[in-house]
Amino acid sequence: MLHIHDTLTRQKMPLRTAEPGVVRMYVCGMTVYDFCHLGHARMLVGFDVVQRWLRASGYRVRYVRNITDIDDKIIRRAVERGVTIRALTGFFIDAMHADERALGVQPPDDEPRATEHVAGMLDIIRTLESKGLAYQGADGDVNFPVRKFPGYGKLSGKSLDDLRAGERVAVSSGKQDPLDFVLWKSAKPDEPADTRWDSPYGPGRPGWHIECSAMSHALLGMPLDIHGGGPDLKFPHHENEIAQSEGAFGGTLATAWMHCGPMMVDAEKMSKSLGNFRRIRDTLSVDAADDRADYAVNPREAEMLRFFLVRSHYRSAQNYAPDNLLDAQHALDRLYQTLASVPPEAIDLDWNDPAAQAFRAAMDDDFNTAGAVAVLFDLAGQANRDSNARASGLMRALGGILGLLQADPAVYLKSPTRFLAGGARADTLSSDAIEALIAERAQAKAARDFARADAIRAQLREQGVELADAAGGATQWRRV
């Protein structure tokens, strides 16, 4: 049985769903004012693996991941660039989708945008107001009085006296308590016209937290079976979602809460605010430019990054460092070398197989991808020792559940990569140039000019190309 670590109870618990065989999962997505960085990749890939395993386990999944397309940061960036909110967010949504495609992240079943659900947000605010859980301050903002909601702080594990307003919550003179958070922001005279909506409280826009309460309720209802997000969303965002949703509708917002671990750089969390982030596109791209959303992807590097993310447990802190990416590239290459050396047999996945059972046991233990990846390496060892095509095929089939090992091994191993010991090379040979040198080497061997043949092999090795002479005179090659 699948067990999930629940952030709220701090315990592993069996997956319980409101409807048998159906999982309704809501994950807080991007605020689209800039390109995604590797910390975002951690969340995107982590919950992609979650929904893949749920489906592989036989559940019908409704996976919703929202987009925040109205926010103070979005407004500031649009004003800086002299563009409309819609133009700015549309560009960065396209860029986010390009990153998802590069990482093999399957699209969610629904991808609602906050601006499409403003009416629903106002409905919730009116309901909260009728229950004494919303008030309009002198500055026109509508706020939620957190001290009137019993249990506030239960997700973050903080008492009210320990809590503060949070990164995105500005303390204003209109609040009755500094901890109160904004449900509706009154429009300011200098803000663009496309950032305001009419409301019973005057023109304005929604606060950040109310967006997810409205979107999750409209698309999935309550309780959610799984509510997920990044590590920095526990407080204030998810804490405030609980207060809004449970305050308005009663009941429980989510049965299980999942939060992925942070991406670290030198023991500090990777984030735009700290300025230590690396963008996904810079890690994977062939031709990315800041004025284009889409970009060509190096497939070997892209799968390496997904592998780097997947081989750590989603809740663990993961450290970004060049050496860690080099190690991930070499490790993934070893799996593909097995597929190249022992062509996989096409199989129907048998969950009674001991290796498949070990894979399932790992994934059912709170999506322990580190344990699942270990099974792949065990199968690779078995395939290499015994030239076992079935072990190779099982390795590929199980890897597919993690979004790995589905490329043609020959194409993968011939693709250049910056993440090997030699790093990026200005003299990297094209595939055509390599094939030409291999043909010249074959001619030299036929003419018994072994000195020239050896010189060509050495030249290729110097430039990161390894040759393997097969029976019958054929020569295979790969970049190392």
Side-chain angles (χ1 to χ4, degrees):
M1 175 181 286
L2 174 60
H3 284 68
I4 298 175
H5 183 274
D6 176 33
T7 306
L8 194 148
T9 62
R10 284 84 170 162
Q11 295 179 343
K12 284 184 188 177
M13 51 184 277
L15 174 63
R16 293 180 284 118
T17 62
E19 182 181 349
V22 178
V23 176
R24 295 172 303 138
M25 181 169 75
Y26 184 90
V27 174
C28 292
M30 302 301 171
T31 300
V32 284
Y33 71 98
D34 205 345
F35 295 109
C36 295
H37 58 63
L38 295 186
H40 297 136
R42 184 92 196 272
M43 181 277 290
L44 290 168
V45 171
F47 285 102
D48 180 58
V49 170
V50 168
Q51 64 89 21
R52 284 173 182 258
W53 180 244
L54 290 170
R55 296 181 201 275
S57 299
Y59 288 99
R60 287 188 291 120
V61 180
R62 178 116 183 251
Y63 175 26
V64 178
R65 193 187 67 229
N66 78 293
I67 293 174
T68 295
D69 60 346
I70 184 66
D71 171 88
D72 290 349
K73 293 179 181 179
I74 291 172
I75 294 171
R76 285 196 296 270
R77 185 62 55 86
V79 170
E80 289 169 4
R81 296 192 175 189
V83 298
T84 65
I85 299 296
R86 182 177 292 274
L88 180 85
T89 58
F91 175 83
F92 285 117
I93 289 169
D94 289 344
M96 177 187 70
H97 289 159
D99 290 332
E100 291 170 11
R101 289 191 295 272
L103 290 168
V105 172
Q106 295 173 340
D109 298 299
D110 293 283
E111 194 175 55
R113 303 185 186 189
T115 54
E116 301 168 344
H117 288 264
V118 175
M121 299 174 206
L122 288 168
D123 287 342
I124 295 176
I125 294 171
R126 283 192 291 266
T127 299
L128 290 169
E129 186 180 28
S130 72
K131 296 184 175 185
L133 291 175
Y135 66 89
Q136 187 165 24
D139 57 2
D141 290 353
V142 180
N143 304 302
F144 186 103
V146 299
R147 294 186 187 275
K148 292 185 179 181
F149 179 75
Y152 188 84
K154 60 186 177 182
L155 182 68
S156 56
K158 301 175 186 290
S159 69
L160 283 173
D161 291 335
D162 293 336
L163 294 173
R164 59 181 184 275
E167 181 182 354
R168 298 194 190 195
V169 182
V171 177
S172 71
S173 59
K175 291 184 176 181
Q176 297 172 357
D177 186 306
L179 287 177
D180 296 349
F181 61 88
V182 177
L183 299 167
W184 185 260
K185 291 190 173 187
S186 178
K188 308 300 184 289
D190 59 342
E191 291 175 339
D194 60 351
T195 65
R196 63 187 69 193
W197 285 259
D198 291 331
S199 83
Y201 313 102
R205 66 180 185 277
W208 175 37
H209 313 295
I210 195 67
E211 298 174 0
C212 285
S213 287
M215 288 183 277
S216 67
H217 194 265
L219 293 170
L220 297 175
M222 285 175 57
L224 305 170
D225 299 313
I226 297 174
H227 194 323
D232 54 341
L233 297 184
K234 296 176 194 175
F235 180 82
H237 185 54
H238 287 162
E239 198 76 72
N240 293 348
E241 272 190 71
I242 291 172
Q244 294 162 163
S245 296
E246 296 183 4
F249 304 112
T252 300
L253 173 55
T255 302
W257 287 86
M258 295 180 64
H259 293 89
C260 61
M263 180 68 73
M264 312 296 288
V265 179
D266 297 327
E268 288 191 299
K269 183 172 72 73
M270 181 180 291
S271 70
K272 291 188 175 78
S273 60
L274 293 175
N276 65 350
F277 65 95
R278 182 175 176 82
R279 303 183 309 186
I280 296 171
R281 59 178 39 221
D282 295 333
T283 309
L284 307 181
S285 68
V286 174
D287 64 348
D290 286 357
D291 61 349
R292 294 202 320 273
D294 209 353
Y295 56 95
V297 177
N298 180 313
R300 190 171 178 181
E301 295 175 352
E303 188 166 348
M304 175 279 296
L305 181 57
R306 184 178 177 99
F307 176 80
F308 167 72
L309 297 167
V310 165
R311 72 173 179 172
S312 294
H313 191 277
Y314 77 92
R315 283 192 292 113
S316 65
Q318 191 168 20
N319 192 47
Y320 168 81
D323 285 350
N324 291 344
L325 297 185
L326 296 179
D327 181 70
Q329 187 74 80
H330 282 291
L332 183 61
D333 286 0
R334 290 200 300 274
L335 296 179
Y336 267 104
Q337 288 162 21
T338 297
L339 294 176
S341 301
V342 187
E345 178 183 315
I347 65 168
D348 292 325
L349 194 52
D350 178 8
W351 289 107
N352 292 315
D353 184 284
Q357 288 181 337
F359 186 96
R360 179 185 285 281
M363 293 299 290
D364 277 350
D365 182 14
D366 192 30
F367 307 98
N368 181 8
T369 52
V373 167
V375 173
L376 302 184
F377 279 98
D378 288 344
L379 285 166
Q382 181 181 345
N384 291 327
R385 283 192 306 272
D386 307 329
S387 297
N388 188 330
R390 190 183 183 286
S392 181
L394 182 56
M395 179 185 76
R396 187 172 211 176
L398 293 172
I401 295 173
L402 302 177
L404 300 170
L405 304 181
Q406 303 307 292
D408 181 335
V411 173
Y412 171 91
L413 292 169
K414 290 179 180 180
S415 299
T417 174
R418 293 164 289 177
F419 298 101
L420 291 174
R425 303 174 58 103
D427 60 346
T428 297
L429 292 172
S430 68
S431 295
D432 288 345
I434 293 169
E435 296 286 1
L437 284 169
I438 290 173
E440 182 183 346
R441 177 173 175 267
Q443 292 174 349
K445 289 173 67 177
R448 305 188 67 77
D449 186 354
F450 299 114
R452 177 56 184 155
D454 290 344
I456 292 173
R457 178 188 281 274
Q459 177 187 351
L460 289 169
R461 185 183 300 115
E462 184 82 13
Q463 294 184 303
V465 178
E466 183 175 285
L467 304 184
D469 293 323
T475 299
Q476 304 296 323
W477 64 272
R478 62 187 179 93
R479 298 184 192 270
V480 296

